[in-house]
Amino acid sequence: GTVIADFTSQINSSEGCAPELGINFPSVDPESGDTTFGCPVDFDSLVPGVAPTVSVDVPLVGQIIQVKRGARLALATGLTINTTADTAISGREGGCLQAGSTDQCSLRDTGVPFVYVDGTARNNLRYFYSVVSFDINSFQSGPSSIESSRVTKPVTPVALASNYTSEAVVTSELTGRGTVLQSGPLPTLDPATSTFSGPFPPATGWTVGLEAVSQVLVSEGALNARLDSIQLGSPYQGIAHQYWFTASAAGVTATVTVPILQPEEIGVTSDTVGFRAVPLDASLAARYGGNASYQLPGQVSVALPGPDYLALYGRGCVNSRAGFDDPATCPYNGSRWFAGPSPETNETLANPIGCNTANFSNAVFPCYNNAGELPGVTTIYQTQCYQAAGGASCRPLAGIQSGAKRGADFNVYWSAGGVVDSVIDVTHNVVVPFDSVAGGTWGILNPGAATGTSPDASATLTNMDFACVEPFRTYAAGGFICAEAAPYRLSNTAVPGAVGFFSGGAYPPAVAITAAASAGFGMYIAGDMFTFELAGGALPADGAVWALRQYVGAIKGGNGLGAGDLGPATFSNPEEVLPFTAVGAELRANFAVTNTVDGADRNDLSQVHTVPDPYYVTSAFE
């Protein structure tokens, strides 16, 4: 297994969780007011002789820090302090750090295949190598790691013959529905209108490769890795996003998951996972004692920026992160809608996020349209932490959303009766899948789906109701809490009903909800949440195309009713990564291998003779 089950919050625990001390609930940070430093689940109270039943799975990725019961103490603040802790693998006593770096010693969930390249070996010398496997063990019950016995393997490297040519060329590319996607520059932002010049280029935060040992391959081939789905995690709760791939090469397929434990705010996190990929050529492998059952390992890598440049723009703004710079001049961030289809059409509304109020002001909105414009739509509202709503209590939600965000344009194609025919990621040329839960997907939240007691305690559908959609319901992040016994389900058909908007304060909103004059619905799409008020409550016409533009980076400056004129608008992407979250897109590593033996051009052996000469045979063994 690649997770360890924690029943007592003793693994990577927070200072606000210690069930054995009776600290088993979300606690409030005295400085920031953050409520996410408590227990991730409601652990059982520890009773001697009674086995606990509630646990949380901790991925074996990065550092694993364990503390024993009795080695942490309760403080007067309601938090805890560790007196003794054990850090597996990369701790102070870890032998790995004596020979490597922190990056090399951190745990990575890369699967079973293992490759080590020794760049110091010399020809014709016999080397011995050993590989061990280990597991992380409960520090409460024994040693913190368990290691296998060492199995030694000998090998003698030999130089290739001078007339033997063995070459491998490996290239990589990103494709969408079979079309190779071309990279390009970022679009520009109009300083006067805060509109982008066009769509963003395809993702850059990925690599795909093959350990191409040319001596055991022949001809050409390709390794493909298709992103099938995204299981959203929660960076503020220490839960990794999971990116699921189907890898295939020469008829061999494998399911691969790349976990990314995203930082809470900024910084790029990446992980690489290896897998059995390309079968060897039987005749070539036989020279080295192998056969066609052996496979060369491939690998997939995904890189993800922190939430501040994906869905938590307001936090980046209030903290003066690079690109946002001044908290007073960067409230006009957010995705924007416009009449599609993209890229044939482009956004035209000046200051599309202009209803956002000053950052972290908790001011009531002067208007609620803060996400562009669409024909037949009166209001498009997106809730944004620190900008369109309070901060600390909603930023965990934005962290969850950011696992699916990317720089891309989406076209939403409407059919009759409110049915969405399809959603297309134009940038990556893929069909965005529909799902009743949130991920790298889309879905409509209808007012009729919000049964029971709404999380915002109102009779209207608001963005707060997305708290009851999975996985937000399970994570119950920050102040985004759903008490319903059953989750709300997203639909592929819009059924308008009563909707409303709120702004200012924290979740739950500190101000009254403003009901929309006309009916509408909510929509989730690839990490974004919106509430739409339809003009007269009328559904989009059959054949209508709505376009959504997401971006990765930071906008400062701009103009609007919410915060006033803040100067010319500028855009930058300080992390310089465009995340690969386009479900359906495919990474491809193409390889071309040559293995040839050139014919001898010199056959004269007359000058070859024995040494010493003459040579006297003294034994039949000679």
Side-chain angles (χ1 to χ4, degrees), residues 310-311 313 331-337 352-357 365 367-372 379-385 387-389 401 405 462-464 466 500-503 507 523 525 527-532 548-551:
L310 293 169
Y313 307 114
Y332 297 130
N333 275 274
S335 301
R336 61 280 310 275
W337 290 86
I353 320 296
C355 282
N356 274 2
T357 56
F365 270 32
C367 54
Y368 290 101
N369 196 78
N370 69 336
T379 307
I380 312 171
Y381 176 71
Q382 59 181 325
T383 303
Q384 299 179 23
C385 292
Q387 295 182 155
Q401 295 172 248
K405 288 291 291 292
T462 70
N463 280 6
M464 185 69 175
F466 282 99
F501 317 105
F502 62 85
S503 69
Y507 289 111
M523 188 173 190
I525 180 168
D528 266 334
M529 300 173 182
F530 304 94
T531 300
F532 297 93
L548 169 66
R549 175 163 295 157
Q550 291 184 352
Y551 66 86

Side-chain angles (χ1 to χ4, degrees), residues 301-326:
S301 177
V302 174
L304 189 66
D308 284 12
Y309 295 108
L310 293 169
L312 194 53
Y313 307 114
R315 181 67 175 172
C317 178
V318 77
N319 280 347
S320 302
R321 303 297 191 191
F324 297 106
D325 297 341
D326 183 352

Side-chain angles (χ1 to χ4, degrees), residues 137 317 434 478 480 530 541 577 597:
N137 189 42
C317 178
F434 160 77
F480 222 69
F530 304 94
V577 171
V597 178

Side-chain angles (χ1 to χ4, degrees), residues 147-404:
E147 186 175 290
S148 70
S149 59
R150 300 195 174 206
V151 178
T152 302
K153 298 288 185 180
V155 63
T156 303
V158 180
L160 297 176
S162 60
N163 64 328
Y164 183 77
T165 301
S166 181
E167 296 177 343
V169 177
V170 181
T171 59
S172 60
E173 58 193 15
L174 172 61
T175 67
R177 291 189 285 184
T179 300
V180 177
L181 305 177
Q182 303 296 328
S183 61
L186 297 177
T188 58
L189 189 72
D190 190 310
T193 64
S194 294
T195 58
F196 284 104
S197 59
F200 273 67
T204 59
W206 59 270
T207 60
V208 62
L210 178 71
E211 293 288 350
V213 181
S214 58
Q215 291 91 335
V216 292
L217 291 179
V218 68
S219 69
E220 299 178 349
L223 165 66
N224 302 296
R226 180 184 185 274
L227 180 59
D228 289 328
S229 64
I230 300 172
Q231 182 179 346
L232 293 176
S234 181
Y236 279 89
Q237 294 169 293
I239 303 171
H241 304 294
Q242 303 282 342
Y243 298 88
W244 292 86
F245 290 84
T246 294
S248 60
V252 177
T253 61
T255 300
V256 181
T257 177
V258 182
I260 299 292
L261 184 55
Q262 194 179 19
E264 292 182 358
E265 294 184 16
I266 61 172
V268 177
T269 302
S270 62
D271 201 355
T272 301
V273 172
F275 51 92
R276 291 162 58 93
V278 179
L280 307 186
D281 180 87
S283 60
L284 295 176
R287 300 176 183 175
Y288 309 98
N291 53 53
S293 66
Y294 289 85
Q295 297 169 18
L296 289 181
Q299 61 183 25
V300 172
S301 177
V302 174
L304 189 66
D308 284 12
Y309 295 108
L310 293 169
L312 194 53
Y313 307 114
R315 181 67 175 172
C317 178
V318 77
N319 280 347
S320 302
R321 303 297 191 191
F324 297 106
D325 297 341
D326 183 352
T329 62
C330 47
Y332 297 130
N333 275 274
S335 301
R336 61 280 310 275
W337 290 86
F338 54 95
S342 173
E344 291 82 359
T345 61
N346 194 28
E347 54 179 313
T348 58
L349 177 65
N351 308 308
I353 320 296
C355 282
N356 274 2
T357 56
N359 191 280
F360 215 26
S361 66
N362 289 338
V364 178
F365 270 32
C367 54
Y368 290 101
N369 196 78
N370 69 336
E373 66 174 351
L374 286 167
V377 178
T378 303
T379 307
I380 312 171
Y381 176 71
Q382 59 181 325
T383 303
Q384 299 179 23
C385 292
Y386 294 86
Q387 295 182 155
S393 60
C394 75
R395 71 187 184 213
L397 171 76
I400 300 170
Q401 295 172 248
S402 64

